[in-house]
Amino acid sequence: MPLIWIIAIVLALGAIGYVLGRQRAMASAGGDIRVLHSLPSYYGTNVSLFSIVPALLVLVIWLMVQPQIIQRQVVEMIPDTVATTSGELSLVMSDVRRVANGLDQAVDQGVLTANEAGTISTDETNIRETLGGIGVALGRDVSADVLQAAQRYRELSGNGNLAMAGVVIVLSLLGFGYAYARTQRDFRARNTVEKAIMSILILASTIAILTTVGIVLSMVLETMDFFELYDWREFFFGTEWIPSFEGGSDLGLLPLLWGTLYITIVALIVAVPVGLFSAIYLAEYAGPKLRSIAKPLIEVLAGIPTIVYGLFALITVGPMLRDYFAEPLGLGTSSSSVATAGIVMGIMLIPFVSSLSDDIINAVPQSLRDGSYGLGATQSETIKQVILPAALPGIVGAILLAASRAIGETMIVVMGAGAAARLSLNPFEAMTTVTVKIVGQLTGDTDFSSPEALVAFALGLTLFALTLCLNVLALYIVRKYREQYE
């Protein structure tokens, strides 16, 4: 049974439960709502929640656990001669899933019967012709062992999905029956519903926390595997980035980290003054008519795709900086440079700083302005000595958001700054960032267990630590200035 059908059935039971639960509560009160402990809607909501929430929780857990169990059983069928390393095993399992999905589609379209899909001849030529005939694209020759593993994968998936549908629907029915049976006029439906909603809210917040923990743990575990293969001292203090997938790689972090920070600094030099000054003007000087036109026009910059910014850097900004600055000053001849990527990225970040700062400045109480004017301060003095200190925490947050956005940007760097990992102070030389190399190391047919692939996780963990340090620094600055203001 398709997943969408299962969800639709559960939601339908929840809707029916709401109607019937409400009707049962009213019937138990003889139609007099005053006799009920809670409003009728609470009784219906109680039945609906018991019909939907437990069933969907089991569905989510099942969907996460089932693929792991099936893969463990199928991996045991693949002989060592087919996959000798973890990287080859990953490729084989990709073919197994692809073949299994192709067989399912062939059965659904009537090209093959269920029996034919499970009994394809193990002759290699027959396998290739049959799978090619039903439109299964393969990256390598499929052996008889891989075909049998795919057929077993398809069988286990089908049985698992059928069992999942049965368990989820039965659980929904049991929840429906249990809550419906408890529905009567003295039942404290409101208390039950409010506790259930509170639990759902706690679960939602917990999911966000667990997601962060899961991301960090995944990076930490893979980074530990990387440092077992590559010396951490050479990684953190190395000054050369020369990956070689044939061995003998130099994977020094410093050139990438310097490129990331250099481009980010240039971007902030462009974005922060322009964004902050525009926010001050729009909030304190501009009239309502001009503000209604100017602010949406500035925010349009945030909706432009980064690939468009990259093309702008490649075609317009890069050649202009090369022709008018780099070549006349003898600082370089390439249109790809730190300045190119930094300036274009700064333009992209202007609405992040401007819009957030504008909202924060407008949130400063009018009483502070009136008190400053009452003491004889001018408008500029009020902005410098009253409004900006009061809005400083929000402004620091806006700048931090812009910095995080700059650190994580990839496309503008690829097209505007190039891919050269080097240590240099010349802003007109090509450099690269950590994010660009993360993408580069994880693409292609690289063995996933090699240092050249695992280094991407070490780079990602480094970026995470860098962002965390920025947050701690911003928190320190905010607390320091807030104490002075208070």
Side-chain angles (χ1 to χ4, degrees):
M1 179 181 295
L3 179 62
I4 188 65
W5 289 10
I6 301 175
I7 297 175
I9 291 173
V10 172
L11 294 179
L13 286 173
I16 295 172
Y18 178 85
V19 175
L20 295 182
R22 196 175 187 279
Q23 292 177 351
R24 182 179 174 87
M26 290 297 296
S28 68
D32 187 359
I33 192 175
R34 294 173 297 177
V35 180
L36 294 173
H37 172 273
S38 309
L39 292 174
S41 59
Y42 282 106
Y43 293 92
T45 303
N46 179 64
V47 179
S48 181
L49 288 175
F50 270 91
S51 303
I52 295 175
V53 175
L56 291 185
L57 284 177
V58 171
L59 178 64
V60 171
I61 295 173
W62 196 298
L63 290 174
M64 292 189 296
V65 173
Q66 176 178 300
Q68 305 299 326
I69 296 176
I70 293 176
Q71 180 162 327
R72 289 179 182 177
Q73 296 187 30
V74 172
V75 164
E76 297 176 354
M77 300 178 59
I78 299 176
D80 295 337
T81 55
V82 176
T84 58
T85 65
S86 60
E88 291 181 352
L89 182 60
S90 177
L91 294 175
V92 170
M93 284 304 303
S94 297
D95 270 344
V96 167
R97 287 189 289 269
R98 192 179 298 114
V99 172
N101 292 334
L103 293 175
D104 282 334
Q105 293 175 6
V107 172
D108 293 339
Q109 297 172 3
V111 179
L112 294 176
T113 65
N115 290 332
E116 291 172 344
T119 57
I120 295 177
S121 171
T122 56
D123 178 68
E124 185 173 339
T125 303
N126 181 267
I127 293 172
R128 173 66 64 175
E129 291 177 353
T130 303
L131 296 179
I134 61 176
V136 179
L138 301 171
R140 57 168 61 191
D141 292 337
V142 177
S143 64
D145 294 320
V146 173
L147 175 63
Q148 292 173 355
Q151 292 170 334
R152 179 60 176 167
Y153 185 95
R154 174 178 171 273
E155 178 185 358
L156 292 175
S157 297
N159 294 337
N161 292 338
L162 184 61
M164 177 182 66
V167 170
V168 170
I169 294 174
V170 168
L171 185 60
S172 181
L173 290 172
L174 290 176
F176 176 95
Y178 173 75
Y180 184 78
R182 297 177 66 194
T183 302
Q184 43 85 21
R185 65 181 188 179
D186 295 327
F187 176 63
R188 298 177 178 271
R190 184 185 65 187
N191 298 359
T192 303
V193 170
E194 289 179 349
K195 289 180 181 178
I197 296 298
M198 180 65 70
S199 300
I200 293 174
L201 295 177
I202 294 174
L203 178 62
S205 61
T206 304
I207 289 175
I209 297 173
L210 292 179
T211 301
T212 304
V213 173
I215 292 173
V216 174
L217 288 179
S218 64
M219 289 192 298
V220 168
L221 294 176
E222 297 295 343
T223 301
M224 291 173 61
D225 292 338
F226 168 70
F227 286 133
E228 290 180 358
L229 302 173
Y230 195 87
D231 186 15
W232 65 271
R233 290 178 292 269
E234 295 182 9
F235 173 74
F236 285 111
F237 302 107
T239 58
E240 291 186 352
W241 179 269
I242 308 176
S244 173
F245 297 102
E246 298 178 356
S249 299
D250 290 325
L251 303 175
L253 173 66
L254 292 181
L256 306 184
L257 192 59
W258 171 244
T260 301
L261 296 177
Y262 201 175
I263 294 175
T264 300
I265 291 171
V266 173
L268 292 179
I269 290 174
V270 174
V272 173
V274 176
L276 185 56
F277 291 163
S278 63
I280 293 172
Y281 176 75
L282 291 175
E284 299 297 324
Y285 293 99
K289 186 175 181 180
L290 177 60
R291 176 183 170 83
S292 65
I293 297 174
K295 187 172 182 180
L297 290 177
I298 294 175
E299 292 177 347
V300 166
L301 293 173
I304 299 177
T306 56
I307 184 65
V308 176
Y309 281 112
L311 291 173
F312 178 61
L314 181 66
I315 297 174
T316 304
V317 178
M320 182 183 68
L321 292 178
R322 178 195 61 198
D323 296 338
Y324 293 100
F325 295 95
E327 289 186 349
L329 296 174
L331 296 176
T333 59
S334 174
S335 60
S336 297
S337 65
V338 170
T340 301
I343 291 173
V344 175
M345 194 182 299
I347 296 173
M348 181 191 70
L349 296 178
I350 288 174
F352 287 89
V353 179
S354 174
S355 182
L356 291 175
S357 299
D358 178 48
D359 294 338
I360 294 298
I361 292 173
N362 281 319
V364 175
Q366 183 63 32
S367 60
L368 295 180
R369 296 179 175 85
D370 295 339
S372 177
Y373 295 146
L375 292 174
T378 63
Q379 187 174 14
S380 62
E381 290 173 339
T382 300
I383 293 172
K384 288 185 293 183
Q385 299 178 17
V386 176
I387 296 176
L388 289 182
L392 183 64
I395 294 174
V396 171
I399 296 173
L400 178 62
L401 176 62
S404 300
R405 183 71 177 83
I407 290 173
E409 177 55 40
T410 303
M411 188 56 65
I412 294 177
V413 178
V414 171
M415 303 185 71
R422 59 164 57 97
L423 291 168
S424 174
L425 290 174
N426 186 357
F428 297 103
E429 285 189 356
M431 295 187 193
T432 191
T433 63
V434 173
T435 54
V436 173
K437 291 306 177 183
I438 290 176
V439 175
Q441 299 307 118
L442 290 178
T443 54
D445 298 330
T446 309
D447 184 359
F448 196 76
S449 61
S450 67
E452 290 76 17
L454 292 175
V455 70
F457 295 95
L459 294 174
L461 189 60
T462 303
L463 274 185
F464 177 82
L466 179 62
T467 306
L468 180 61
C469 292
L470 287 176
N471 279 278
V472 172
L473 178 60
L475 183 61
Y476 169 76
I477 295 174
V478 168
R479 287 181 175 178
K480 178 180 179 181
Y481 281 91
R482 179 180 295 170
E483 289 173 358
Q484 288 183 354
Y485 177 72
E486 293 174 351

